[in-house]
Amino acid sequence: MIEKIEPQTLPSAPLHGRRVERRSNPCVAWLIGDPVSHSLSPLLHNAAFKKVGLPHVYVPLRLPHRLLRPFFGLAPHARTLGMNVTVPHKEAVLRFIDHLSPEAKVCGAVNCIRVRGRRLEGFNTDGSGFLAAIKKEFGFDARGKRVVILGAGGAAKGVAHALAPCGLRSIIILNRTVSRARSLAVNVRTVTRKTIVESAALDRTSMEHAAEGADLIVQTTSVGLDGRSAIRFPFQDSPRQARVADIVYRPLETPFLKAAKKAGRRTLGGWAMFLYQAAESFQIWTGQPAPIPLMRRLLLSSLRPD
Ligand code: ATR
């Protein structure tokens, strides 16, 4: 969970000698990354600002690494509400942040920044977005459940750390590079006492073993980003009621999810995590709940093939 957000007026910042009230005056929320042109965040956030009657705009900005410092030198002084940070800058921005949320600290990565006066506060809403997604879209209550995570990269870290304090029975982390799976498992064990945390290679035997008791299988690797490839997981060995989530959101139904569905398992696409992490950013910046039904509708209709 992210830190409690007070529904208060954001503090003002000086702009050309004047004070700027960041809530009622038009401000900018930036998306910084490289590339950014493919992102659906501007569509969702601009519609959301309009819907709740806020005069702000969300602007994608392709920012090469060398321009990070000048950007952070300027942005907090302009009418900036905050930023979303995407690949490849989620770790590089840490050095500009004054205060990190516990999730951002544990993940060592930031995807949302709030500007408060001259202070920059960094959050990581990927993990909490994933938790909200499985709760709201799957009705999944994590307590006492057995979770299998495929992958041990940045996304897996966010998901594992969000799930770890939820009273799971076990987490099994499978990764192509076993040492990464092992070190993530060691890391996750530090935040949970009761949950059994295991790690292994992403091979046939480990997948079959992990599938057997799984209540939730989460695909966090970059396999599938091309829309064609998929990890060949033995879904038929998992319990019938096992649920399967992919964090890849393009295409709407990845080959991994197609295979799970074919095996009769309930599935959830990466769109849901994307939606709820966006909703959390919106709330962090504005202090108001995001208009989720509108954002959900827009997102799904943009991702649906014609
Ligand atoms: P992200 O921040 O998106 O998670 P990352 O940190 O580079 O990106 O992690 C990518 C994940 O996808 C890793 O778990 C990676 O496995 P390795 O740690 O072995 O590199 C996994 N991955 C990428 N390509 C893969 C492939 N062809 N087969 C299996 N796993 C793969």
Side-chain angles (χ1 to χ4, degrees):
M1 294 290 291
I2 51 174
E3 289 177 322
K4 190 167 182 289
I5 301 150
E6 302 297 339
Q8 62 197 3
T9 302
L10 295 174
S12 54
L15 176 73
H16 308 308
R18 284 178 293 129
R19 304 289 292 177
V20 177
E21 192 51 69
R22 281 211 176 91
R23 194 169 185 186
S24 47
N25 285 320
C27 290
V28 184
W30 303 96
L31 168 66
I32 56 167
D34 191 5
V36 291
S37 55
H38 62 287
S39 176
L40 292 172
S41 298
L43 172 75
L44 300 195
H45 284 291
N46 283 320
F49 285 141
K50 197 166 167 200
K51 173 83 179 170
V52 304
L54 286 170
H56 309 318
V57 285
Y58 186 96
V59 179
L61 182 65
R62 188 173 81 79
L63 206 61
H65 192 270
R66 69 190 156 79
L67 294 182
L68 276 179
R69 185 167 289 287
F71 174 79
F72 278 96
L74 282 173
H77 306 288
R79 291 184 172 190
T80 296
L81 272 183
M83 304 103 182
N84 272 147
V85 185
T86 188
V87 178
H89 300 321
K90 288 186 183 186
E91 289 160 24
V93 298
L94 287 174
R95 65 196 145 118
F96 303 110
I97 309 284
D98 302 296
H99 175 80
L100 286 176
S101 74
E103 293 70 27
K105 224 179 250 173
V106 91
C107 292
V110 157
N111 74 336
C112 175
I113 298 171
R114 173 168 61 188
V115 178
R116 286 205 143 182
R118 285 174 178 272
R119 265 167 71 82
L120 296 186
E121 300 171 341
F123 301 83
N124 192 313
T125 63
D126 284 337
S128 47
F130 177 78
L131 264 194
I134 56 169
K135 261 187 213 153
K136 304 246 168 72
E137 302 290 336
F138 249 171
F140 189 83
D141 177 4
R143 272 171 303 174
K145 298 294 195 314
R146 294 160 296 186
V147 175
V148 178
I149 298 176
L150 309 182
K157 212 188 236 180
V159 167
H161 277 283
L163 283 165
C166 296
L168 295 174
R169 189 156 131 204
S170 66
I171 302 181
I172 303 180
I173 301 162
L174 305 179
N175 196 47
R176 178 177 63 176
T177 310
V178 196
S179 57
R180 274 185 105 186
R182 210 173 288 139
S183 82
L184 178 54
V186 167
N187 214 262
V188 170
R189 268 186 216 115
T190 61
V191 295
T192 169
R193 288 216 180 125
K194 292 189 182 144
T195 306
I196 300 163
V197 187
E198 294 174 331
S199 57
L202 188 63
D203 58 26
R204 188 91 208 149
T205 315
S206 305
M207 284 197 278
E208 281 170 3
H209 164 73
E212 269 170 28
D215 296 300
L216 175 68
I217 298 146
V218 192
Q219 197 306 109
T220 73
T221 75
S222 44
V223 181
L225 280 177
D226 61 4
R228 290 187 307 274
S229 43
I231 289 170
R232 292 161 65 86
F233 192 84
F235 295 108
Q236 67 286 354
D237 292 338
S238 66
R240 280 231 148 260
Q241 76 283 3
R243 300 181 185 198
V244 181
D246 197 333
I247 68 153
V248 173
Y249 69 87
R250 250 193 261 255
L252 199 49
E253 191 173 57
T254 59
F256 183 80
L257 292 182
K258 266 196 188 125
K261 209 175 192 180
K262 204 166 160 204
R265 306 299 181 266
R266 266 188 77 189
T267 60
L268 185 65
W271 64 268
M273 176 175 169
F274 180 74
L275 170 66
Y276 289 95
Q277 64 77 28
E280 289 213 23
S281 288
F282 185 92
Q283 178 150 5
I284 287 170
W285 296 326
T286 66
Q288 304 189 29
I292 290 175
L294 167 74
M295 293 166 85
R296 188 179 190 280
R297 229 174 20 252
L298 283 173
L299 178 61
L300 287 175
S301 62
S302 306
L303 289 171
R304 219 161 260 143
D306 295 326

